[in-house]
Amino acid sequence: MKLQRPRSRTIGRIIFSVVFVSLAASTAVPPCSAQLQTSLNKRAATVVRKPRTMNKPPINKLQYPHSRRDTLLEEYHGTSVPAPYRWLEDVNSDETKQWVHDQNEVTHAFLDGIESRQPIRERLESVWNYERFGMPVIRGDRVFYKHNDGLQNQSVLYWANGLSGERRVLIDPNELSDEGTVALASWSVSPNGKLLAYGLQRDGSDWREWYVRDIESGEVAVDHLKWVKFSGVSWSPDNSGFFYSRYDEPRTDEEFTGSNYFQKLYFHHLGDDQSDDQLIYERQDEKEWGFSGYVTESGDYLIISVWKGSGNKNQLFYKSLTDSDADVVELINKFDFEYSFVGHDATSFYFMTDDNAKKRRVISIDIENPNKDQWQEIIPESSDTLEDISLFGDTFIVSYLHKAHSRIERYSISGESLGTIELPGIGSAGGFGGRRDQQTCFFSFSNYTQPYTIYQYDIESNESSVYKKADVDINSDNFETKQVLYESKDGTEVSMFISHKKGMTLDGSNPTILYGYGGFDISLTPGFSVTNMVWMEMGGVYAVANIRGGGEYGKDWHEAGKLVRRQNSFDDFISAAEYLISEKYTCTERLAIKGGSNGGLLVGAVMCQRPELFGATLPAVGVMDMLRYHKFTIGWAWVSEFGSSDDQEHFKFLYKYSPLHNLTRGTRYPSTLVTTSDHDDRVVPGHSFKFAAALQHAHKGKNPVLIRIETNAGHGAGTATSKRIDAAADIFAFLTRTLGFQPQLSN
C-alpha cells in the first residue's frame, strides 16, 4: 500500500478501472518496416485460414432461457430506439432474479460438462497456492504489510516491530465472512503508528465502511463510517482523526444502481458519531464535483484535489491546518489540466502536471506568489510518459513509461539528473512510497513471465536488494515475451506484447487470447498473472495490444481513442487480431478476445463489427449500453471519455458502436461467454444482462452464447480467491471446448 496523494489521474482510474485490467510485458526488438509491410500484405489471404488439424468436437445448439421482449421505444433526437430488455435493469425484481437463476443454470450445465474443466481448475489452484506479500509501509519503528499464504480468500494485514520483527495479525478479513466476500479494501496508519483506519468492502461493492482499531491491543473503536466511495482517509497530524469524503445515504433499493452525486469532504474526530463529523468542503451548486483530501507530511496543510468525472483535469485547493480559522484557498480553480501534489518545502508546492506538457512535467508553485508566470519548472517533459513520482528528502524518484514498460529516474530538488534506478529487466515497477525522512523504500517489479518481486531500495546508496520474491510452481524460463509493432487501419503504428512457450511453432494453430482496454488513460504494462501463465502452459498465446485510448504514449494517445475518435481503439484491436493471424500465431477459429469494463465494451463493439474474425469472445463487466450508461451510479463521470446520448452529436457516434444496439438478427456470432457480478455497482450488471439477452435473440448457429453471473461479487476488486479460480477455470474450459484444443497441463 502506497501513501495516497490527491491525484486527479488516480481518481479517474479508480472510478472506471477494474481488476481485469492486466499488466503487460516485453523483451524483443520490434520488426523492421519491411517485415511489417510484408505481414500486412498477407492479411487478406490469411485472416480466415484454418489450422491443419482442428479436431473440434460438435456443439449441440443450446436452449436458452426465455427473455421477455417488450415493445418499448425511446426517442433520441428524432430516432426511435427499441429497448426490449429495459426490465433487466431492475436487478431487484423477481423476474430479473429468476432470469439470472435460469441463465446460470444453462451456463453452468454447459461448463460443468466440459471434461477439461476440473483438471484446469486443479492446476490453477496448484499454481495459485504460493505465498504473496504486499508492499511494506513503515511508521516509526513499525512495519505493516498484507500477506496471503496462497489460497486464502483474502489477504491478511500484519504488523511487526521492524522489518525482522515477529509479525502479528492486525486484520484477517477471512474471519468476517464464510465465503471470503468481505475484503480489506483500504487502510491507513496514523502518524504515530498506534491507530489504524480501515475500509471494508462487502460483496465487491464500491461502497466502503470504515472503522478504527488500536494496533497494539487490536481493540476496535466505536467509530463506524458509512456511504464512503472513491475516497481514502488522511490522518490529522495530532492523530485525533482523519479527513475523508462521502456521499449522502442513497434511497431504498438504489444502493447499487442510483447515481452518485454531491460528494462532500469531512473531518471525523475519533470517538464521535458520523453525524457529528465536521464538513470541510462541499459544493451544492456542483453535483458532479468530488473531493480528495490529503494532509501533507509536515501536517501544515490539507491539500484538496477537486475532480469532476473521469477526465484527467482537476482543480487544486488547500487549507492551512496551523490556523483553525483558515479558509479553503483555491490555488488552481479551472478544470484545464491535471495537477498531482508531490510535496512541499515551506510555501513551495511541487506538482506533476500535463500543463504545457502532454507527457507531464514537474513544477513548483509558491503559494505566496501563485501567479502562473511565477511557476518554476523543476523536471521538464520527456519523450517518455511520466507516470508517477515520489519525494524523499531532496530526491525525486520519477517513474516513466518507455515503450509501455517502466524506466525509473532520480532528480535533485532543483531538477538535476541523478541517474537511473536499475531494474531487473523489462517490465513494470511500482511503489517507491514513504515519508521524506525515510532512507529506505520498497518497489515491486514483474512482467508476463517473472513473478511479482518486492525490492528494498536504499536511497542514499542507490542500491536495491530482494525483499520478498514469489515462489510459483511454473518455470518462468520456459516462456518468452516479445514486443511487436503493427499498423492499424489508418496507418498508425501500435505496439503489442506477445507471450508464449519458448519454441512454439507458428503454424496458425495456436489457441490465443488477445487482451485490450484502450481507455481512460489507463496503461497496459508488463505484469505477472497466474491465470495467464497457466494459459500459456496449456499451449496458449497471450497477447496484449496497447491500443489508442490508453495512457502508454501520453495525452495524445489517450485522446486519439476517446469520444468521436473511439473507433480508433476498435480499429487498433481488430488490426491486432489480423496481425496475429497473418503472422501465423493463430487463426480465426482459435482466436479469443478478452477485456473487462471499458475492455468489455471493446470486445462487445468489435464482435459486432467483425463477428467472422474471432473464434470466441469474452466481454467482462462491460459497458454495453452506450445510450444509458450515464444514468447509473458513477456512470455520469465517464461522459468526458465516451460522450452522452443527451447530446445530439454524441448520440450519433455512440449509437453507431454501442454493442447492445449493433447486434444483427440472424448473424452467426463467435462463441461468447459474458461475465458479470450481481453486486457490480460501477458498471451495473444490467449492461451485461441486456446484452446477453439481445445476443441470444440475434445469434444464429450452434456457437454457445452464454452469460456467467457471479453472486456476492462486484466489479472485480476484493473478489475471493476461490471465486477467481472458479471463474478462470470456467473461462479456460469454455475456450478449450469452443476453440477446439486439448490443454497441456503439468501435474
Side-chain angles (χ1 to χ4, degrees):
M1 176 183 174
K2 188 175 181 180
L3 290 175
Q4 296 299 306
R5 297 191 300 275
R7 294 176 52 183
S8 64
R9 220 159 46 87
T10 301
I11 291 297
R13 291 178 175 185
I14 285 174
I15 62 180
F16 204 92
S17 62
V18 62
V19 73
F20 295 104
V21 176
S22 68
L23 305 171
S26 94
T27 53
V29 177
C32 67
S33 300
Q35 291 174 308
L36 182 58
Q37 187 58 52
T38 299
S39 68
L40 291 169
N41 292 338
K42 296 177 183 177
R43 287 186 184 174
T46 58
V47 292
V48 295
R49 178 167 51 80
K50 299 180 181 180
R52 291 189 292 273
T53 56
M54 183 61 65
N55 298 323
K56 182 176 177 181
I59 297 175
N60 296 325
K61 189 171 183 180
L62 295 169
Q63 185 64 46
Y64 302 110
H66 173 68
S67 299
R68 173 169 58 85
R69 286 179 60 84
D70 291 339
T71 58
L72 176 66
L73 293 175
E74 188 165 9
E75 292 291 322
Y76 292 90
H77 314 288
T79 299
S80 295
V81 178
Y85 303 113
R86 180 70 55 82
W87 58 275
L88 283 169
E89 292 178 355
D90 185 359
V91 296
N92 296 309
S93 74
D94 290 339
E95 186 178 17
T96 299
K97 291 178 180 179
Q98 185 62 48
W99 183 90
V100 168
H101 173 271
D102 293 345
Q103 291 285 348
N104 270 342
E105 285 282 303
V106 172
T107 297
H108 288 297
F110 178 85
L111 296 172
D112 291 345
I114 301 173
E115 291 184 2
S116 64
R117 186 195 180 280
Q118 187 57 31
I120 289 173
R121 194 197 185 284
E122 291 173 359
R123 181 55 179 156
L124 281 164
E125 186 173 74
S126 174
V127 179
W128 216 298
N129 191 12
Y130 71 97
E131 196 175 22
R132 299 185 293 282
F133 288 86
M135 201 78 69
V137 172
I138 299 175
R139 286 292 179 275
D141 295 330
R142 291 179 171 178
V143 180
F144 304 83
Y145 59 89
K146 294 176 77 172
H147 172 264
N148 193 303
D149 64 14
L151 295 178
Q152 289 175 292
N153 276 321
Q154 302 291 341
S155 294
V156 179
L157 180 62
Y158 290 91
W159 73 279
N161 287 313
L163 290 173
S164 59
E166 182 179 357
R167 72 180 189 181
R168 296 167 59 179
V169 174
L170 187 51
I171 297 178
D172 184 355
N174 300 290
E175 298 179 349
L176 303 179
S177 66
D178 293 335
E179 296 182 346
T181 55
V182 176
L184 177 60
S186 188
W187 51 280
S188 179
V189 181
S190 63
N192 62 10
K194 295 182 177 181
L195 299 170
L196 177 82
Y198 59 101
L200 297 181
Q201 176 186 27
R202 304 182 190 278
D203 297 327
S205 169
D206 278 334
W207 292 113
R208 307 286 189 264
E209 293 184 48
W210 282 82
Y211 303 86
V212 175
R213 180 171 298 204
D214 182 272
I215 291 171
E216 185 70 39
S217 69
E219 182 179 352
V220 179
V222 298
D223 309 82
H224 182 198
L225 310 182
K226 299 183 67 177
W227 310 119
V228 182
K229 184 183 282 193
F230 312 129
S231 172
V233 306
S234 189
W235 285 88
S236 62
D238 62 0
N239 308 286
S240 65
F242 49 79
F243 298 89
Y244 74 102
S245 298
R246 59 159 293 189
Y247 292 95
D248 293 333
E249 182 176 351
R251 291 182 292 184
T252 304
D253 295 331
E254 291 190 357
E255 178 179 353
F256 299 114
T257 59
S259 295
N260 303 135
Y261 289 120
F262 295 112
Q263 193 184 53
K264 302 176 179 67
L265 177 63
Y266 287 93
F267 178 76
H268 173 72
H269 191 277
L270 297 182
D272 287 354
D273 188 85
Q274 187 176 16
S275 60
D276 296 325
D277 287 351
Q278 178 187 356
L279 178 65
I280 301 299
Y281 198 82
E282 68 171 334
R283 287 294 294 265
Q284 288 296 324
D285 59 329
E286 296 288 353
K287 69 178 183 179
E288 296 182 351
W289 286 20
F291 310 98
S292 298
Y294 169 76
V295 177
T296 60
E297 285 187 31
S298 65
D300 292 341
Y301 298 98
L302 173 68
I303 306 298
I304 305 172
S305 180
V306 185
W307 55 273
K308 181 180 180 181
S310 57
N312 293 336
K313 298 177 181 179
N314 66 307
Q315 300 184 63
L316 209 295
F317 304 163
Y318 70 90
K319 174 182 170 63
S320 172
L321 296 181
T322 59
D323 179 0
S324 59
D325 296 324
D327 294 326
V328 171
V329 178
E330 298 183 0
L331 180 63
I332 298 169
N333 59 5
K334 293 181 180 180
F335 289 104
D336 290 342
F337 300 98
E338 164 195 0
Y339 298 93
S340 298
F341 179 79
V342 180
H344 79 101
D345 286 311
T347 60
S348 293
F349 283 24
Y350 305 115
F351 296 95
M352 180 177 74
T353 182
D354 62 358
D355 184 353
N356 198 34
K358 292 183 177 181
K359 294 187 177 181
R360 305 187 186 94
R361 60 180 179 143
V362 179
I363 63 170
S364 172
I365 301 176
D366 188 335
I367 60 173
E368 292 187 346
N369 188 13
N371 292 333
K372 195 167 185 177
D373 60 2
Q374 297 300 310
W375 295 4
Q376 300 294 315
E377 181 174 82
I378 306 298
I379 303 174
E381 181 181 14
S382 166
S383 58
D384 291 333
T385 302
L386 200 169
E387 276 282 285
D388 205 355
I389 184 170
S390 301
L391 178 57
F392 292 92
D394 292 332
T395 302
F396 290 108
I397 299 179
V398 184
S399 176
Y400 290 99
L401 276 185
H402 174 71
K403 296 182 179 179
H405 57 81
S406 295
R407 175 173 68 86
I408 312 298
E409 300 286 338
R410 301 164 69 237
Y411 292 89
S412 71
I413 202 75
S414 61
E416 178 187 0
S417 175
L418 301 177
T420 64
I421 295 177
E422 293 298 324
L423 298 177
I426 294 176
S428 296
F432 299 104
R435 300 181 64 86
R436 288 187 67 176
D437 58 2
Q438 292 176 197
Q439 287 302 307
T440 295
C441 67
F442 299 87
F443 70 92
S444 65
F445 180 84
S446 69
N447 57 36
Y448 281 123
T449 61
Q450 297 296 321
Y452 181 87
T453 301
I454 298 175
Y455 291 83
Q456 184 173 343
Y457 173 69
D458 184 84
I459 299 166
E460 184 174 352
S461 66
N462 191 30
E463 293 181 352
S464 303
S465 59
V466 173
Y467 175 68
K468 298 291 182 182
K469 183 176 182 179
D471 183 14
V472 184
D473 184 25
I474 283 186
N475 187 350
S476 297
D477 293 337
N478 293 336
F479 304 90
E480 63 181 343
T481 299
K482 61 181 175 181
Q483 187 179 33
V484 301
L485 299 178
Y486 66 92
E487 281 192 16
S488 187
K489 183 179 179 180
D490 63 358
T492 297
E493 202 169 61
V494 184
S495 65
M496 176 164 54
F497 296 100
I498 306 174
S499 303
H500 52 74
K501 283 183 178 178
K502 291 180 179 177
M504 173 176 280
T505 302
L506 302 185
D507 61 359
S509 68
N510 302 303
T512 298
I513 293 175
L514 170 61
Y515 184 89
Y517 192 80
F520 294 87
D521 195 34
I522 290 174
S523 302
L524 300 187
T525 62
F528 185 79
S529 161
V530 167
T531 54
N532 293 340
M533 288 295 286
V534 171
W535 171 255
M536 290 187 283
E537 182 185 67
M538 288 167 55
V541 175
Y542 186 72
V544 175
N546 300 123
I547 62 179
R548 282 172 284 186
E552 295 89 344
Y553 298 102
K555 190 172 185 177
D556 286 345
W557 194 253
H558 170 218
E559 293 186 345
K562 64 185 288 190
L563 296 171
V564 71
R565 296 175 292 277
R566 183 156 291 270
Q567 184 60 43
N568 287 333
S569 301
F570 307 148
D571 290 340
D572 291 353
F573 200 58
I574 290 169
S575 295
E578 292 176 337
Y579 176 89
L580 291 169
I581 295 170
S582 68
E583 294 298 303
K584 299 183 181 180
Y585 285 95
T586 190
C587 65
T588 288
E589 291 196 16
R590 286 270 170 90
L591 175 60
I593 54 174
K594 181 181 179 183
S597 197
N598 176 75
L601 160 63
L602 170 70
V603 171
V606 301
M607 70 177 281
C608 288
Q609 294 179 16
R610 293 291 302 276
E612 83 291 349
L613 186 59
F614 313 109
T617 58
L618 303 167
V621 293
V623 188
M624 300 306 201
D625 184 349
M626 298 308 298
L627 303 186
R628 288 177 57 79
Y629 76 86
H630 58 300
K631 297 182 180 295
F632 304 99
T633 61
I634 199 64
W636 60 265
W638 313 331
V639 169
S640 61
E641 183 79 13
F642 293 141
S644 168
S645 61
D646 296 336
D647 181 288
Q648 185 171 359
E649 292 304 310
H650 290 182
F651 166 75
K652 292 178 182 177
F653 61 75
L654 289 170
Y655 191 37
K656 188 174 181 180
Y657 75 75
S658 175
L660 177 64
H661 302 97
N662 283 276
L663 293 165
T664 304
R665 177 77 164 166
T667 300
R668 180 182 180 273
Y669 286 100
S671 299
T672 299
L673 182 61
V674 179
T675 53
T676 189
S677 302
D678 63 350
H679 280 71
D680 190 345
D681 51 357
R682 195 174 308 178
V683 180
V684 294
H687 280 280
S688 293
F689 293 177
K690 292 186 294 184
F691 182 75
L695 176 61
Q696 289 173 353
H697 175 73
H699 176 54
K700 178 182 179 181
K702 293 184 178 181
N703 289 341
V705 288
L706 303 168
I707 181 169
R708 182 189 189 277
I709 305 158
E710 187 65 81
T711 57
N712 299 319
H715 201 57
T719 302
T721 298
S722 58
K723 288 181 179 287
R724 293 181 188 274
I725 294 173
D726 282 337
D730 284 346
I731 289 171
F732 288 169
F734 180 81
L735 292 181
T736 64
R737 183 75 169 93
T738 57
L739 300 184
F741 74 99
Q742 187 66 32
Q744 305 165 25
L745 292 170
S746 299
N747 295 328

